[in-house]
Amino acid sequence: MGEIEVLREENEKLSQELKQRLFELSVLYDISNSISYTLDYDIIMRFIMDSLHKILDYDLCLSLIVLEQEKKAKMAIRIAHKVNRLVVQEAKRRAIEVLASFRGIPFAEDEIILEVRGEMSEDNQAPEKIKSSFDVPLFVRDRAVGILNVVSTRDISYSDDEIKLFYIIASQAQAAIERLQVLLVAEKSKMQVMVEGMSEGVAMFDERDQLVILNATAKDMLGYHQKELNTDSLMKFIQDLGLVGSLDEIRKINRFPWVKELCLDRPYPHIIHTEVSCIRNEVGKPLGMVMILMDVTKEREIGQMKDDFISLVSHELHTPLIAIKGSTDILLNGIAGELNLRQTECLSITKRNIDRLSRLICDLLDFSRIEAGKVQLNKQRVDITNLINDLVSLLEESAKEKDLRLTACFGSDLPEVEVDPDKITQVATNLVGNAIKFTPAGGQITVRVARCEDSLQIDVIDTGLGISHQDLGKIFDKFYQVIPLDNSQMTKGTGLGLPICKGIVEKHGGKIWVQSELGKGSKFSFTLPLCSVR
């Protein structure tokens, strides 16, 4: 071989080595640039393992990181080439043992959150074995916080340069983990200070239902003063109080918080309003739970005083109003003497306002009885078809006066229900009356009855003005009234009709709700159990 050929080969070799070094440097740059501002362990380790595969030939790469709370760890496994499940199990076992030996603290598998990417085989007849592996421990301030491991079922001898690169990449991972842990500790400390200063009680749980924060306000409200805080003791304590049954049940509720109020005698008589929400990421994965406790004793006492006052005034007004109404009827009927036209007009106006005041007082009395739990139901076996037909006949004339079409339709084989017919008639009359009131001339109102699983569902559907989105959530609140802008001259009601309907339906063990869109009509629905709650 001539001297020129030798030089050419050496040049090619140097060129290949230079390209390899440039490639390795570009990989190191990408790693450094990509993880510099990342605040997520999973993203950091996932990127590092993917980058390692560009430099090292492996079948499986594994990372095991102890999280900052040191109560759990995260293990990520990237399978580059399909391997047997037993190989994965062996790699896991080895990594756990190696990290435990560095830390001097044993690990249990149930303390590890596992993520596996890649394909495993289930063939156990001729299982593969690990023939090559390389471990690099990760240290932060002289304390082992993790391990990075590559495994192969083939005999692979890693070069000194490859091992050196592995250590460089591991050092970058260490720096990223240290930066992230410092930041998370600072943020957690900041959050704890903020939560401790809140007037509401706060308890926070992580994705594994482990207690993260319980502020002093929550401890005082619950009367929980154990020095050592842990999830098991807290959950047993609040379950004994009857506050929360299971966090798993709450986790199943996606859209709304779980809400409950509880009267406690310890450490002093008070009422706690509790809301528990499941916090989720952008793809819906649960990240933890937040429990908010509010002492609503004063609010409930004031509310009760208001209700008692309304009930008392309503009762006191009812008797003299009957006497006034009776006297007015006597005068209008001419029993006390003949009236001229002007006197009759004045007394007619008086009577209309007396009737309106009487309806208001009756509504107040009904609502007071409902809130006090004093409503007595006179239940009977009722054919709901007859009840609705009677109601439609009664209100048909009122509908015709406004040029409205009122109809009823019934599903097949409707069973009888055990209800208080007067009370259910009151509910249906109110709903149909509202539909007549808020539906312009030429519209349609339909009362539909159908069987729905273990209940009957009654729908009152109109083609009226509809209800805006902001009003829908308050429609069943007491004294809340919806007056459309183009019906400002419409006679106002008491604002108690729908709350009374809600109370009556719930007393029967049913539910009531509304669906509506502004300008497109409304559908009020309520259910009656086939075997109603007494």
Side-chain angles (χ1 to χ4, degrees), residues 162 250 448 498 517:
E162 288 175 324
I250 297 169
R448 185 174 64 194
L498 290 177
E517 190 174 338

Side-chain angles (χ1 to χ4, degrees), residues 89-105:
Q89 294 289 348
E90 178 64 14
K92 283 169 56 180
R93 185 188 64 78
R94 287 189 184 186
I96 292 170
E97 288 180 355
V98 170
L99 184 56
S101 68
F102 276 109
R103 292 174 58 83
I105 304 171

Side-chain angles (χ1 to χ4, degrees), residues 23-34:
F23 173 71
E24 291 168 354
L25 285 172
S26 69
V27 171
L28 292 174
Y29 175 79
D30 287 342
I31 293 174
S32 177
N33 191 49
S34 298

